[in-house]
Amino acid sequence: MVMVLIYDTPEEAVRATAHTLVHAIGKIMPYRCCEFGAATGNTQKPLYAEMVKLWPSINPRPGRFRTWNLDEYEGLDATNPQSYRYYMYEHLHGPLKIPDHLRRFPCEPPEEYDVAMLRETAAGGIDLGILGIGRTRHIGFCEPGAPRKQKTHRATLHEPTRVDAVREFGSLDLVPTGALTMGVSTIIDLWSRIFLLAFGESKAAPVHDMLEGPIGSQCPASFLREHRDTTIVLDRAAASLLKKPTIYIQV
Ligand code: F6R
């Protein structure tokens, strides 16, 4: 089931989502390690900042929070400021003092990632996690054409995705052509609870296609409508092209 929450501003959306996430993590932690799925877009930066602020309120237990990142660029090591390892260290792992062995990223061979996730979580998979949506309608780096059954794999980045990454890399020739990414199946079948955040006018068309277009590989994000517990968190601008407002909750 997909629930859509529409907030007036991204700031309100971020505050409310961070609160929901941190408190859900806090309910799991006393009993076992919480498994968290992590995205690394610009959209998530303020969310991580808010989570860091709220973190002490749940009396976190050391060793009881493990992150599973969705993706990583090919050919960048953790010391490269454009790598997702670096991003995570800066925004979440560093501030929360998450030890190295609890920070998981897809690496070679990619198909091992899903196997490791199931093994290390005693087949429970990811408890909860966050996603963003790209201009191509990707989730993670599952670009259009990504099959529903695909697990973690090597993906070729589509041109608009690489063009959007120029703001981080500085020029197109520095943007990697490939990445390792969880597949649609990894996300839909192995994550129990999903929060996708999208803000601003540039996300309005992707959000529309995700929620109101046909479900299929042409819009990988549309597969979220087959997931059992997904919350789509929007601001008014990102929700502006939705045509069925009565089924959406205005917060
Ligand atoms: C990266 C990821 C991507 C981004 C998406 C949106 O880990 O999962 O799917 O979430 O490209 O990125 P922003 O938020 O920068 O627009």
Side-chain angles (χ1 to χ4, degrees):
M1 192 194 86
V2 171
M3 177 161 76
V4 181
L5 301 178
I6 304 170
Y7 291 85
D8 280 337
T9 65
E11 291 75 22
E12 282 174 63
V14 160
R15 267 198 304 277
T17 309
H19 193 272
T20 305
L21 290 170
V22 169
H23 285 274
I25 294 165
K27 283 192 179 153
I28 295 172
M29 260 186 183
Y31 306 102
R32 60 173 175 81
C33 184
C34 176
E35 312 291 347
F36 186 78
T40 46
N42 285 308
T43 310
Q44 286 81 26
K45 289 179 185 171
L47 182 75
Y48 289 135
E50 198 62 29
M51 286 176 69
V52 168
K53 262 198 251 164
L54 294 170
W55 201 246
S57 69
I58 57 167
N59 296 319
R61 311 235 177 154
R64 294 272 178 97
F65 182 66
R66 173 164 43 198
T67 58
W68 297 85
N69 268 79
L70 278 157
D71 41 22
E72 177 58 290
Y73 288 115
E74 252 186 344
L76 304 190
D77 67 33
T79 61
N80 187 316
Q82 266 71 52
S83 73
Y84 287 156
R85 285 176 164 78
Y86 194 100
Y87 170 115
M88 286 301 289
Y89 188 76
E90 195 179 359
H91 296 286
L92 200 71
H93 292 150
L96 299 188
K97 300 188 172 54
I98 306 300
D100 196 41
H101 71 281
L102 296 177
R103 310 175 202 162
R104 306 302 304 269
F105 290 84
C107 56
E108 293 292 350
E111 54 281 4
E112 273 297 305
Y113 198 50
D114 298 46
V115 176
M117 192 185 297
L118 284 169
R119 189 180 54 237
E120 292 172 33
T121 63
I126 306 284
D127 293 305
L128 75 171
I130 52 176
L131 296 176
I133 182 170
R135 189 149 55 107
T136 60
R137 288 63 172 149
H138 67 212
I139 44 174
F141 278 134
C142 299
E143 297 281 29
R148 167 70 181 80
K149 289 189 175 156
Q150 200 166 32
K151 299 191 188 315
T152 301
H153 61 284
R154 180 189 180 280
T156 300
L157 303 181
H158 286 198
E159 204 56 14
T161 299
R162 293 188 66 235
V163 169
D164 287 346
V166 169
R167 62 183 171 222
E168 279 83 41
F169 284 84
S171 91
L172 190 59
D173 50 314
L174 296 175
V175 180
T177 52
L180 299 180
T181 180
M182 288 189 195
V184 174
S185 165
T186 319
I187 299 167
I188 304 295
D189 302 326
L190 301 187
W191 292 36
S192 297
R193 200 170 171 201
I194 295 175
F195 293 81
L196 181 146
L197 281 75
F199 306 132
E201 219 178 301
S202 68
K203 301 284 175 162
V207 163
H208 167 267
D209 294 354
M210 165 173 68
L211 291 170
E212 296 184 354
I215 296 178
S217 292
Q218 77 295 335
C219 176
S222 65
F223 287 119
L224 290 170
R225 281 150 60 200
E226 295 180 351
H227 185 260
R228 58 189 176 280
D229 186 356
T230 287
T231 304
I232 308 289
V233 182
L234 307 174
D235 67 349
R236 287 199 185 283
S240 59
L241 294 178
L242 295 176
K243 307 245 163 27
K244 302 175 187 161
T246 51
I247 64 162
Y248 302 124
I249 302 167
Q250 313 262 335
V251 184

